[in-house]
Amino acid sequence: MATYLAFLRAINLGAVRKFPKDAIKTATESVGFTGVETYINTGNVRLETGMRSPDRIAAKLEAAYLQDRGFDVPTMVMTRAEMAEMVAEIDDLWAEHGQPAQHSITLYAAPPASDAAEAAVAVALGSPDHVKVGNRWAHVLLGVNFHESRVLASKQFAALGVGTARNASVIREVTKRWC
């Protein structure tokens, strides 16, 4: 059995799209995943399975979540090795640029296209933000408030794809707990 981490997009935001941690756990277990744990209410899930394809795992989870909630829940599934790589990049970026006030990491189902990655990095040039696009994620070290970031609001960053964002402390914590 391998361990994977799943990150759910756009749940528990305001009064709609509610998906409590216990319901996430039950829905995840209902389709055969074991060792299920959740961390905070933003949709961070640890699971074990004999399946080896993050894409197939995500599809199975998304179908279970749709059935349980009645709305789509895009889900990004990461391996433990990918999580360790993300944390290593956090450390490298902080060593290079200093610890930012905020560090957002957007996780994607598939690697962003190289031209989109180059454009997202370029839009940060001359701004207080720094961007690094990894395998299936993008780091944004914010020099301004999250909601004031020119990078995060840009069409270039949006062109990386549909993803779900977490801050670096959440990525560090789930990696420490589950990897």
Side-chain angles (χ1 to χ4, degrees):
M1 296 290 252
T3 299
Y4 292 88
L5 282 69
F7 298 89
L8 287 57
R9 181 176 189 271
I11 63 163
N12 300 325
L13 301 171
V16 297
R17 299 182 56 83
K18 292 293 184 193
F19 203 176
K21 291 179 353 179
D22 290 341
I24 293 170
K25 185 174 189 228
T26 300
T28 303
E29 291 171 339
S30 76
V31 290
F33 296 111
T34 60
V36 179
E37 295 179 43
T38 60
Y39 174 71
I40 63 177
N41 222 19
T42 56
N44 309 295
V45 183
R46 174 200 184 274
L47 59 95
E48 295 175 355
T49 180
M51 296 173 70
R52 295 291 182 247
S53 166
D55 289 340
R56 290 183 56 224
I57 295 166
K60 191 170 185 177
L61 289 169
E62 288 172 350
Y65 299 157
L66 175 61
Q67 181 177 352
D68 186 85
R69 292 288 107 178
F71 54 80
D72 287 326
V73 181
T75 303
M76 312 325 150
V77 176
M78 300 289 167
T79 66
R80 293 179 352 174
E82 287 174 318
M83 298 303 298
E85 185 178 344
M86 252 184 273
V87 169
E89 287 178 356
I90 292 168
D91 294 340
D92 291 345
L93 288 165
W94 290 11
E96 181 179 350
H97 300 288
Q99 183 174 342
Q102 295 181 41
H103 182 158
S104 177
I105 304 170
T106 303
L107 311 170
Y108 302 101
S114 60
D115 59 335
E118 290 171 13
V121 170
V123 79
L125 298 175
S127 83
D129 299 339
H130 297 281
V131 174
K132 175 179 176 48
V133 180
N135 179 27
R136 293 193 301 130
W137 53 86
H139 297 266
V140 180
L141 284 71
L142 295 158
V144 295
N145 183 291
F146 186 88
H147 299 289
E148 296 171 349
S149 171
R150 190 182 83 186
V151 171
L152 292 175
S154 72
K155 65 181 181 184
Q156 292 88 344
F157 194 80
L160 294 174
V162 174
T164 187
R166 299 294 187 275
N167 65 44
S169 63
V170 169
I171 295 297
R172 280 187 191 282
E173 183 60 28
V174 298
T175 302
K176 183 176 100 177
R177 285 175 183 244
W178 297 335
C179 298

